[in-house]
Amino acid sequence: MDKLPEIILHISTYFVSAGIILATLRLIKGPTMADRAVALDTFTVISISLIVLIACIAGRVIFLDVGMVYAILSFIGVVAVARYIEGGL
Amino acid sequence: MNKIVKIVFSTIVLTLFYFIWTRTTSVNNILVIAGLGLFVSIIYRNYLRSPILSPKKIAYAIFYVFYLFIEIIKANIDVALRVIKPVIPINPGIVKVKTKLKSPMGRLLLTSSITLTPGTLTVDIDGDTLYIHWIDVKDKEESGATEKIVSNFEKYLEVIFG
Amino acid sequence: MIKKMFSFILIIFLFLILFELLNNLTENKKLSGVAKEYAERGAAELGTANLVTSIVVTYRGLDTLGEVSVLFIAATGVAVLLRRRKDEEILIQKVKRQSSEILQTGTDLLVPIIIMFGVYIFINGHLSPGGGFQGGAVIASAVLLSFLSDINYKINHTVFGLIESLSGVFYVLIGVLGIFLAGGFLDNRILPLGEYGTILSAGAIPLIYTLIGLKVGTELASIIDNMKRDSE
Amino acid sequence: MNIIHVIGFALMLIGIWGMLTQKNMIKIILGLAIAETGVQLVMVAFGFIKGRTAPILDAAVPVKDAVDMIVDPVPQALVLTAIVIGVAVNALMLTFVIKLYQKKRSLSITEYKDLKW
Amino acid sequence: MSWNSLLGSIITLLGSIFLFLGALGVYRMPDLYNRMQAGTKSTTLGTMLTLLGIGICHYEWLGQVLILIIFIALTNPISSHALARAAHFKGIPLTAKSVTDKLKEEESKAEVL
Amino acid sequence: MELQQGIFVLMGLAMIVAAILAMYVKDLVSSIIAVGVVSLFASILYLLLQAPDVAMTEAAIGAGLSTLIFLYALHKTKDAEEEND
């Protein structure tokens, strides 16, 4: 019974991983580059959750710093792709 | 004078941010943090205007956050129900709405809220006119769409950003 | 066709080599000798909580100096190669599309927070993951976000060049001071070690990482600026 | 950790295969970037020890037990340097590509035969 | 087993389910804008709930987690707005089911003038 | 420990697929996005390998800045080509 929260966290990790796989499928399929950029956007947001879940399972608070850097850089990356598409780079 | 208020406000925000992130308790560290915050806010000058705080505005801001959170949850249940059906029931289109807000920060929050809530996504902004992608178009005309999408948020944001 | 066959054979050879390597790999159970030494002595001797930092800055400090030089040479190379001479033909400049108002407001709001986070990363390099290189990259991305949101945004080349060269000079100077005042080149014990676990501890490491962060940040920003500059 | 080595080696092979067969110069550089990632992944995996934690000493890892609790920090420090140098090298190569393009107006590597005898 | 870790893990599970559904929406929706709808809304709420759950599990992390949540809630709408604007400018079409496109009408009007 | 193995396998498969996609997709922007995705996956793998410093560097430099440098280079080589033909 003590292990219940841990088991639930593991199940959530699998859900999150499945989400990443679906985003990857969109990345492969996406007919235009904008669709692939949407897949990248979705994928990065999901990855932040995965990073925080890994931090929780490993029990190290310092991993959250990595999540913050990831959030900043992924945001700028998606904006850059968008600006490239509309020709404002 | 306005410049000094800006710098002080941004220093306080940045110091608070850093303080919550590091959770430090030693006085030495906090002094170092405040110095760094002051430095960053001096070198970065075009920071936004600090809102003038009053109890009414703070109360409205708290209400706004709660309202937004409930709307976000409703939006998600809506999208989730659409996604799991075998044939996705959608009726999409891009509609045009008008906003009354003037301050840039208020507009940023308005468009972000619209993007986060039921079936709407801001595509473009041109002066007072917003173009919104609506997953289930209920009203093609400008006035009706404004009534359904914008006015709920505007009510709060008009008070907060005056 | 012959070329493709040749590459295929090369890949097969590489595959066989790697396969053999993989077969003979044994899992390690404990730290190697030098790592053990660092792990035992790092915290007490240098006052750093992050052992990677103590290796990068002090124990293998010369490597880092070399790396900073490589980065500097690359940035200079990009600047020299992309410099435009008068007699070269000038391409017709395309009309760029201005970004939306939302992105501009968002940039004004977010850039100070991002810069502050970059500063946090390199000044806390001895306590938490991160350091000069990551912090510099985050600061360079803040500059980049300004580039993306405003097509007329220009960086001040004089200030950037000054920051870059001054931080480089001071970095080497601190390294040389280490020879005279402490055990060797880039020794961090030229300043008092301070209380373990606070920002102002671990001797000169926060100072060194700040200098590296400023240098890397300005260099990456100038690489991006040079890549961005169109025919003007 | 055999899986991670397999992944890293696979990335290396894909990157090198791409570098050898692609015609577009930007794709060749992308192939190099992929191969680089693979090599760095393998290097970090060599320092990994099962069941241990990151080499940063805080509340979770007391200083005196550090030797028995942390993974090897030396490969991590090396890879840190390698990544930064990698991006500098990529930038320099792309600059060459831009210059070559301005001369000949083509990104295809087969157009550049000046050194062929 | 303490109450806060159980509550936190359940909220995390809810969030991860939303994330999964958002990704499913990105995969299944017919055109770019609808994909973006699913992608932005569900993943934002999913990430917020996941992070909040972990903040409840380890309540000493709550401050950092809240900062991450605020950052994501600010940046995610901006990036998807930029992407939608770019895609519409590039002329990526809406799905055939769409009923109206005022922005396109406006643009074509401007071109005629 | 099984959890870690599971994520390793999933991430590894996704990474290899993204790498192959990067090499064989026609459109260069998609190719650059795919390389960025490979770097982001690598960053998560570094975190699982208990190397937060390297994960941070990879996320900041490998996935962020290098993608942008590629995009700028592509922009500079593309716009002249359109004028040409």
Side-chain angles (χ1 to χ4, degrees):
Chain A
M1 204 53 195
D2 267 357
K3 288 223 155 189
L4 193 60
E6 209 174 311
I7 292 168
I8 295 175
L9 282 184
H10 279 216
I11 293 169
S12 350
T13 314
Y14 276 111
F15 265 112
V16 172
S17 309
I20 287 183
I21 296 298
L22 281 174
T24 316
L25 284 180
R26 177 46 72 192
L27 184 82
I28 298 162
K29 213 172 154 184
T32 63
M33 54 190 166
D35 287 291
R36 294 202 168 92
V38 173
L40 176 73
D41 192 13
T42 313
F43 160 73
T44 48
V45 177
I46 296 176
S47 302
I48 295 165
S49 316
L50 188 61
I51 286 174
V52 178
L53 273 168
I54 290 170
C56 183
I57 289 168
R60 302 295 301 265
V61 67
I62 49 177
F63 285 10
L64 292 184
D65 290 14
V66 184
M68 188 72 181
V69 172
Y70 205 95
I72 292 172
L73 268 300
S74 66
F75 162 65
I76 293 174
V78 174
V79 171
V81 175
R83 294 287 287 152
Y84 177 84
I85 290 172
E86 70 179 350
L89 210 60
Chain B
M1 195 59 214
N2 192 20
K3 209 170 185 179
I4 295 172
V5 172
K6 258 188 195 174
I7 288 177
V8 169
F9 178 71
S10 109
T11 309
I12 290 170
V13 169
L14 292 178
T15 311
L16 206 65
F17 163 78
Y18 199 123
F19 176 72
I20 294 172
W21 191 266
T22 53
R23 296 164 302 142
T24 176
T25 46
S26 107
V27 181
N28 231 340
N29 285 4
I30 293 171
L31 285 179
V32 173
I33 290 168
L36 290 171
L38 188 64
F39 182 68
V40 171
S41 37
I42 285 173
I43 60 166
Y44 191 79
R45 268 165 301 176
N46 52 338
Y47 202 63
L48 295 170
R49 189 172 64 92
S50 61
I52 301 138
L53 296 177
S54 71
K56 193 185 172 197
K57 284 182 181 177
I58 293 172
Y60 264 75
I62 293 168
F63 272 128
Y64 180 69
V65 170
F66 272 105
Y67 178 70
L68 185 65
F69 195 68
I70 289 167
E71 286 290 313
I72 290 174
I73 289 175
K74 271 181 7 200
N76 277 285
I77 292 169
D78 179 60
V79 170
L81 286 181
R82 280 177 205 278
V83 165
I84 53 177
K85 284 189 183 140
V87 179
I88 302 172
I90 49 171
N91 181 27
I94 293 179
V95 295
K96 187 168 148 186
V97 298
K98 284 244 186 277
T99 175
K100 283 178 282 182
L101 293 173
K102 288 279 175 277
S103 88
M105 190 66 200
R107 286 185 185 189
L108 173 69
L109 280 186
L110 177 69
T111 48
S112 299
S113 316
I114 288 173
T115 304
L116 287 177
T117 45
T120 48
L121 172 80
T122 318
V123 176
D124 207 344
I125 179 167
D126 178 20
D128 284 346
T129 317
L130 300 174
Y131 296 95
I132 288 173
H133 182 264
W134 203 353
I135 205 167
D136 185 13
V137 177
K138 294 200 183 73
D139 200 335
K140 285 186 199 174
E141 293 314 310
E142 191 182 314
S143 53
T146 309
E147 181 67 28
K148 285 199 174 60
I149 297 174
V150 182
S151 53
N152 289 333
F153 299 115
E154 232 171 28
K155 207 163 52 188
Y156 295 93
L157 288 171
E158 239 178 352
V159 177
I160 299 170
F161 292 97
Chain C
M1 203 61 229
I2 294 171
K3 200 185 154 214
K4 211 158 196 174
M5 282 296 290
F6 183 69
S7 352
F8 192 70
I9 292 166
L10 198 74
I11 289 290
I12 294 289
F13 267 117
L14 213 57
F15 176 76
L16 287 178
I17 292 168
L18 293 182
F19 189 74
E20 197 63 19
L21 195 68
L22 207 60
N23 265 345
N24 297 330
L25 211 63
T26 50
E27 204 177 331
N28 44 353
K29 290 276 188 291
K30 60 183 197 305
L31 293 180
S32 61
V34 67
K36 197 168 168 217
E37 196 76 1
Y38 290 156
E40 274 169 353
R41 295 196 348 221
E45 206 175 62
L46 305 177
T48 53
N50 185 347
L51 290 175
V52 180
T53 297
S54 66
I55 293 171
V56 167
V57 176
T58 306
Y59 290 126
R60 300 273 174 97
L62 273 176
D63 290 9
T64 310
L65 186 63
E67 178 192 2
V68 170
S69 333
V70 170
L71 201 57
F72 174 69
I73 292 165
T76 318
V78 171
V80 168
L81 281 171
L82 288 182
R83 189 193 48 194
R84 199 166 278 280
R85 286 189 213 89
K86 283 265 163 60
D87 53 333
E88 254 177 90
E89 58 175 315
I90 292 170
L91 305 172
I92 304 153
Q93 191 159 10
K94 273 183 154 183
V95 182
K96 289 182 179 176
R97 195 177 188 220
Q98 187 60 269
S99 67
S100 76
E101 188 196 326
I102 312 280
L103 185 58
Q104 288 168 17
T105 317
T107 305
D108 279 355
L109 182 70
L110 289 171
V111 165
I113 297 177
I114 294 176
I115 291 181
M116 193 68 188
F117 194 72
V119 170
Y120 159 75
I121 287 175
F122 61 66
I123 213 139
N124 274 28
H126 54 297
L127 302 175
S128 61
F133 300 106
Q134 295 93 326
V138 170
I139 286 180
S141 8
V143 175
L144 190 82
L145 186 58
S146 306
F147 277 144
L148 290 176
S149 78
D150 185 0
I151 54 174
N152 297 319
Y153 186 82
K154 292 233 165 26
I155 60 174
N156 190 337
H157 288 278
T158 330
V159 173
F160 268 57
L162 202 68
I163 292 174
E164 189 191 330
S165 29
L166 277 184
S167 50
V169 168
F170 277 117
Y171 176 47
V172 175
L173 215 63
I174 286 175
V176 174
L177 268 180
I179 298 178
F180 296 114
L181 300 180
F185 189 71
L186 276 173
D187 198 321
N188 69 328
R189 286 167 293 180
I190 54 174
L191 294 173
L193 281 187
E195 188 191 340
Y196 177 79
T198 54
I199 291 179
L200 293 178
S201 69
I205 284 183
L207 194 60
I208 293 172
Y209 251 172
T210 308
L211 294 175
I212 293 179
L214 288 175
K215 193 165 167 57
V216 171
T218 46
E219 265 163 11
L220 289 175
S222 73
I223 286 181
I224 289 162
D225 183 48
N226 282 319
M227 302 280 281
K228 172 184 177 281
R229 210 157 10 135
D230 265 314
S231 44
E232 282 169 354
Chain D
M1 252 328 111
N2 267 328
I3 301 164
I4 205 87
H5 293 126
V6 173
I7 295 166
F9 286 148
L11 282 180
M12 270 167 71
L13 289 179
I14 292 169
I16 293 169
W17 172 246
M19 277 163 75
L20 289 173
T21 53
Q22 293 293 322
K23 297 277 189 293
N24 190 318
M25 287 192 287
I26 290 184
K27 275 214 172 156
I28 293 174
I29 301 173
L30 287 172
L32 183 73
I34 292 174
E36 228 170 55
T37 310
V39 174
Q40 289 156 1
L41 208 54
V42 173
M43 269 173 79
V44 174
F46 278 140
F48 183 68
I49 302 168
K50 217 171 180 176
R52 295 198 180 189
T53 185
I56 294 169
L57 316 175
D58 62 354
V61 185
V63 174
K64 59 180 191 305
D65 304 333
V67 179
D68 299 321
M69 283 182 75
I70 61 170
V71 299
D72 197 341
V74 180
Q76 297 187 12
L78 295 180
V79 171
L80 205 94
T81 348
I83 291 174
V84 180
I85 290 180
V87 76
V89 169
N90 279 351
L92 201 57
M93 286 198 298
L94 286 171
T95 312
F96 281 122
V97 170
I98 292 171
K99 286 311 263 188
L100 286 175
Y101 183 82
Q102 284 172 355
K103 283 265 181 291
K104 277 207 173 159
R105 301 282 157 148
S106 168
L107 278 179
S108 169
I109 193 115
T110 47
E111 297 283 319
Y112 296 89
K113 299 178 186 150
D114 299 343
L115 274 182
K116 225 172 188 173
W117 66 88
Chain E
M1 186 177 76
S2 52
W3 65 271
N4 65 339
S5 58
L6 187 64
L7 181 68
S9 56
I10 286 171
I11 291 177
T12 306
L13 182 67
L14 214 62
S16 63
I17 289 171
F18 272 121
L19 281 176
F20 175 74
L21 288 176
L24 191 67
V26 170
Y27 182 64
R28 285 197 59 198
M29 287 288 191
D31 75 341
L32 180 96
Y33 306 95
N34 289 314
R35 272 174 214 144
M36 220 175 274
Q37 296 260 11
T40 313
K41 288 182 228 315
S42 299
T43 53
T44 310
L45 181 72
T47 311
M48 280 158 82
L49 284 183
T50 310
L51 298 190
L52 196 69
I54 284 168
I56 291 170
C57 267
H58 294 247
Y59 47 84
E60 67 274 16
W61 298 8
L62 200 60
Q64 277 159 308
V65 165
L66 280 178
I67 285 180
L68 259 174
I69 288 175
I70 291 170
F71 195 83
I72 287 167
L74 271 177
T75 57
N76 212 7
I78 297 177
S79 67
S80 43
H81 159 71
L83 203 52
R85 186 172 186 263
H88 200 278
F89 181 73
K90 188 87 194 302
I92 291 169
L94 275 77
T95 177
K97 284 183 191 169
S98 311
V99 287
T100 174
D101 189 350
K102 294 275 190 218
L103 180 55
K104 199 160 204 171
E105 284 168 22
E106 206 70 21
E107 275 169 2
S108 48
K109 230 185 274 173
E111 268 171 26
V112 167
L113 292 173
Chain F
M1 273 301 120
E2 312 89 42
L3 176 79
Q4 268 203 3
Q5 297 281 348
I7 298 179
F8 271 137
V9 174
L10 282 179
M11 289 281 147
L13 278 179
M15 248 169 117
I16 289 168
V17 166
I20 293 172
L21 181 78
M23 284 292 105
Y24 282 97
V25 73
K26 287 270 176 354
D27 173 21
L28 270 175
V29 184
S30 302
S31 180
I32 291 170
I33 291 175
V35 173
V37 169
V38 171
S39 275
L40 288 173
F41 278 124
S43 163
I44 293 177
L45 284 185
Y46 289 137
L47 208 60
L48 283 170
L49 287 173
Q50 304 292 339
D53 284 271
V54 187
M56 213 183 224
T57 319
E58 182 76 38
I61 292 173
L65 283 174
S66 114
T67 310
L68 291 163
I69 289 172
F70 275 113
L71 279 178
Y72 273 123
L74 186 58
H75 177 70
K76 283 199 120 175
T77 52
K78 191 197 78 176
D79 65 2
E81 191 174 57
E82 280 176 1
E83 281 160 24
N84 229 10
D85 51 38

